[in-house]
Amino acid sequence: MAAISLKVNGHAHTVDVDPETPLLYVLSDDLQLRGPKFGCGLAQCGACTVIIRGQAVRSCVMPVSAVKQQEVMTLEGLGTPEKPHAIQEAFIDEGAAQCGFCLSGVILTAKALLDENPKASDEQIREALSNVLCRCFTHTRMMRAIKRYQRSRA
Amino acid sequence: MKKEISRRDFVKASGALIVCFSTASLVEPLAMAQGPFDTHPSHVDPEKLDSWLAVASDGTVTAYTGKCDFGQGIYTVQTQLVAEELCVSISKVKLIQCDTSVTPDQGTTSGSQSTPTNFNTRNLAQAAATAREALVGMAAQRLGVSADQLTIENGVVSAKDGRHVSYGGLIGGKHFDIAVSSTAKRRSTSEWKVLGKPVPSLDRVALMSGTFEFVHNVQVLGMVHGRVVRPPEIGATVGNVDEKSVQHVPGLIKVVVRNNFIGVVAEKQWQAAQAAKDLKVTWQPRLGLPAQKDFYDYLRKQPSRDLMLVNSKDVDNKLKSASRVLKATYLHPYQAHGSIGSSCAVADVQADHATVWSATQSVYPTQHGVSALTALPLDSVRVIFVRGAGCYGLNAADTVSYDAALLSQAVRRPVRVQLTRQDEFLSENYGSACVVEQQAALDASGTIDAWDCETWTASFGGRPGYDQPGNVITGMLAGFDPETINPRTAVEPTGELRNGNNAVPSYVVGCVNGKCGGAGSIRSERVLTHAVKSPFFTGPLRSPLRLQNTFAHECFMDEISAYARADPVAYRLQHLRETRIIDVVKAAAKTANWDARPSPKPGTARTGTVTGRGIACVAYEGDNGYAALVAEVEVGQASGRVQASRFVVAHDCGPISNPEGLRNQIEGGVLQGMSRALGEEITWDDRKVTSIDWQSYNTLPLGIQVPIIESVLIDRPEAKATGAGETAITLVAAAIGNAIFDATGARLREVPFTPDRVKATLSSRG
Ligand code: FES
Ligand code: FES
């Protein structure tokens, strides 16, 4: 065990955990965040996605000790129910969910891509989402929501 | 904040069960239905109105339902239902889902039964209608005018002279103390103000903002973490457990062994994961598995439990004398539910009572199962539904609830268990593998004269129900027997047509005892089913057996129409009699701008990318919804890759409660069906399952070229409400298979249509 300091969604935290603990477990068990979720623990689905330095990162395979001083943002750090972020707004408007368990992967991966490349082509969007899974297959609405967000920023 | 379960806040104003959301503990309106633990079962007597509804003095309505939401939208639409019947706005209604201490026992939320159960003239709908009539009666008395002179608007009942009284003023906080009336009149579809409207899902803001509480997020004071150690092969038994092998793991609380059930509990989840990984267990292997490559032959040779569904007794003669007999065999693999989140539950088992937070579809049956596993009396076990990831049927939500209960009982602390992805893939209750053999006799004009169908389905375990916890892996490991197949030969059908699995094709008359319940015109009919013991657990997976059977029927119909050189739509219509299925076929064909001609498409090249269209239709479970689907595909003949470009679905589920939710279900069903048709298959070697993660089990990711999906919704306000979540998915494999045939002339008879299989079939074309 070791004391590890983290900055998550703008708040500083210190947790006492095994440094090898995946970031996801710290976020959900110790910090009680609900956005990132354990889907596979194998970096294969995206449910645990967070944003670190602008990149979509799979927190299920990242040891918490590797985060260091980098700020972590989770789905709930993006916006709030009262004031959702524009991409969350687009997903709300399109009704782009069924169970919603996959949303951290879908929304944060798309956001990271479009922040870096606002003009990403459909092909590039698909490429970025090529290992993000939604088992409810809400694909049509999710793609519409992503495009809506992209247009809203143009 | 953590849930403080010993101090449950609730208001029992004048005895009415009104759930309030405490500020002291973290209680989410959507996810956490709180109520008094000592609630007497009489509170949930479905005959009593108070079991379904309570009105608070501020006029808010709390409704209790035994049908819960996993993302299929039933939370929103049931809220609409209550608002509609009570003439209040949606925001005034709080729906409490599935909690054995609070909600009526409505069995399992499955089989497209929620809407038929709660939206016709029973249960929740009838209770809400009863409440409205009772409130109007009270208002009539209070205002001294007759009930028919009163109008209701948003919970306020008014007389013509302007005097009015609110629901809160009439009953606020008090019991109705009446029975649910079977004669209370439901509001007619023409009066609907809330139902029938495209209401967006009520949970969407919480979901998109990451604040929604899933069962995975439930935290209870003092909670610790468990993991299970499953046998690598189903049926393997524990030889030796070396507890020393995990002594080094910090935070370890206990290694729990009960019969063949093994789990570990630790302070932290990561520690539990380490212990589960490091624990040395010697397993006694079982005999091994039948080879996958010969599995369908193996199935056909096993002893079986047989059922004859229809038998006109002239089929053999017709087959002998027919001018032409066509035969084909269709194969469907085991498939996984593969929920995006591996299953999770939290249990707090104390010496004299237990609480389980579970994403089960069946809180009451799970209560029975946990009671059996923990040997606690039934009424001291409470199971509270908290949503998990979409389950699509019996995923591992039940079994993990048992895991949590066993581990919590062993350590006397609340335990959270989440399965690993591999645990779940290894031993969930898969959708059944099936073989369907079809034969049809054609007369000289090319009309079908007789249809003969024989199916073999692999089955083992299933839903635990109220008394069979061994039907899922944990129950069996802990020593309870799974349901097995007792072989039996078929007897002649009696009673009436039972077509809940769509084993009887839509094109036959479906006559039992002179009463014909089928949708078609073919009079010579025989359908014989064989249930065979499966080497793996099986259980309902979205459109269980309906999908497999429909794949076989709708592809075979296509084969016959191709042989008869008939247009597949016209040929179907020629053999159908039931208006509702005819209407969906016509509507889908019309919207798809169907190219009426026989398949395959004339003059297509044998190389390069070719395109085709196919259709399939179903009367789901015989009469629980109707749909037709047109698929348009491109087939790369060199790669064997199939790309669907467009789907058109025509859908009839009676009166449409929420077109927005319905479209979402149809679109998701179609794409999930496409993923299952094109890639999904459980695989195994001679000992164990080998498809255990998202690399070894195919699923279509988000980054695919998403086909266009057009839904044509046929509203039937006068009809009974039917299910809608499983109808469209039932058709996808068949429609795609038929479209591939149209494009290439090659007939795929085995799901999934992987590139290799497509290429092999293409190269076997004559
Ligand atoms: S849970 Fe991290 S990628 Fe699946
Ligand atoms: S909405 Fe259920 S997995 Fe994506």
Side-chain angles (χ1 to χ4, degrees), chain A residues 1 16-22 25 28-47 75-82 84 88-89 91-103 106-107 123 125-127 129-144 146, chain B residues 1-3 26 28 70-72 203-214 216-217 219 225 227 268-271 273 336-342 387-390 392 416 418-422 542 660 663-665 667-669 671-672 675 680 692-695 697-707 709:
Chain A
M1 303 288 253
D16 186 27
V17 295
D18 175 351
E20 284 306 302
T21 307
Y25 293 5
S28 31
D29 297 345
D30 299 279
L31 306 186
Q32 294 169 21
L33 292 166
R34 294 178 176 180
K37 298 189 181 67
F38 184 101
C40 65
L42 303 165
Q44 293 175 354
C45 75
L75 187 60
E76 59 258 80
L78 197 56
T80 62
E82 299 71 35
Q88 290 169 318
E89 194 85 60
F91 273 72
I92 292 168
D93 291 345
E94 292 290 349
Q98 286 188 26
C99 77
F101 199 93
C102 61
L103 287 167
V106 182
I107 293 179
E123 185 60 42
I125 295 174
R126 281 201 295 271
E127 175 64 33
L129 295 170
S130 63
N131 55 2
V132 173
L133 304 184
C134 170
R135 287 286 293 168
C136 296
F137 291 87
T138 324
H139 293 42
T140 28
R141 286 157 184 252
M142 290 176 169
M143 291 311 275
R144 272 208 304 270
I146 293 167
Chain B
M1 273 185 291
K2 308 227 177 186
K3 284 197 172 71
L26 182 67
E28 283 297 313
F70 334 107
Q72 83 280 36
D203 51 26
R204 69 195 189 291
V205 173
L207 289 173
M208 304 310 175
S209 60
T211 55
F212 188 91
E213 184 186 49
F214 286 86
H216 303 71
N217 306 117
Q219 299 209 0
H225 295 268
R227 285 278 168 114
K268 295 206 158 256
Q269 190 176 180
W270 178 240
Q271 297 164 337
H337 297 78
S339 294
I340 187 85
S342 56
R387 178 156 136 190
Y392 327 115
R416 175 190 189 273
Q418 183 162 14
L419 301 179
T420 63
R421 172 55 43 210
Q422 298 92 327
R542 201 171 185 185
E660 153 70 14
R663 283 181 199 280
N664 202 359
Q665 277 302 296
E667 291 162 11
L671 292 184
Q672 192 174 58
S675 181
E680 296 189 29
I692 52 165
D693 60 19
W694 294 122
Q695 246 140 43
Y697 186 84
N698 287 322
T699 178
L700 293 178
L702 210 58
I704 53 165
Q705 182 101 41
V706 182
I709 303 175

Side-chain angles (χ1 to χ4, degrees), chain A residues 19 29 31 35-36 44 49 56 58 61-62 72 74 81 94-95 97 101-102 104 107-108 110 113 124 138 142 149 151:
Chain A
D29 297 345
L31 306 186
Q44 293 175 354
T49 302
R58 299 200 159 178
V61 290
M62 179 184 231
V72 178
T74 70
E94 292 290 349
F101 199 93
C102 61
S104 285
I107 293 179
L108 297 180
L113 170 75
Q124 286 168 319
T138 324
M142 290 176 169
Y149 169 63
R151 278 196 312 273

Side-chain angles (χ1 to χ4, degrees), chain B residues 527-740:
Chain B
V527 176
L528 173 62
T529 67
H530 308 270
V532 177
K533 181 170 187 265
S534 164
F536 312 108
F537 277 102
T538 61
L541 166 63
R542 201 171 185 185
S543 193
L545 301 183
R546 292 95 168 134
L547 187 157
Q548 292 89 324
N549 287 324
T550 302
F551 162 64
H553 298 328
E554 288 300 306
C555 290
F556 192 49
M557 190 60 180
D558 216 65
E559 297 206 41
I560 307 170
S561 66
Y563 175 80
R565 305 299 306 143
D567 169 57
V569 167
Y571 196 70
R572 278 174 170 76
L573 294 173
Q574 186 193 327
H575 293 87
L576 288 171
R577 287 294 171 268
E578 153 74 50
T579 352
R580 291 175 75 177
I581 192 168
I582 290 173
D583 287 355
V584 287
V585 170
K586 286 183 175 166
K590 181 160 172 251
T591 304
N593 208 3
W594 178 259
D595 179 13
R597 53 163 177 75
S599 289
K601 198 177 191 174
T604 45
R606 286 297 177 102
T607 55
T609 297
V610 286
T611 62
R613 92 292 186 249
I615 189 163
C617 61
V618 71
Y620 189 72
E621 297 176 349
D623 59 2
N624 190 17
Y626 303 82
L629 174 68
V630 172
E632 297 176 3
V633 304
E634 292 169 12
V635 184
Q637 298 188 92
S639 66
R641 271 182 46 88
V642 177
Q643 164 75 46
S645 51
R646 181 185 182 217
F647 290 102
V648 176
V649 193
H651 196 278
D652 164 7
C653 55
I656 299 168
S657 302
N658 183 342
E660 153 70 14
L662 177 57
R663 283 181 199 280
N664 202 359
Q665 277 302 296
I666 292 173
E667 291 162 11
V670 165
L671 292 184
Q672 192 174 58
M674 181 169 93
S675 181
R676 288 173 63 179
L678 296 183
E680 296 189 29
E681 176 169 33
I682 295 291
T683 56
W684 63 90
D685 61 20
D686 56 350
R687 308 218 68 92
K688 58 187 191 310
V689 170
T690 50
S691 48
I692 52 165
D693 60 19
W694 294 122
Q695 246 140 43
S696 44
Y697 186 84
N698 287 322
T699 178
L700 293 178
L702 210 58
I704 53 165
Q705 182 101 41
V706 182
I708 295 164
I709 303 175
E710 291 166 59
S711 307
V712 185
L713 308 185
I714 300 175
D715 193 20
R716 293 208 187 259
E718 76 293 347
K720 274 197 175 350
T722 73
E726 302 182 293
T727 329
I729 195 172
T730 305
L731 299 169
V732 184
I736 292 179
N738 294 343
I740 296 172

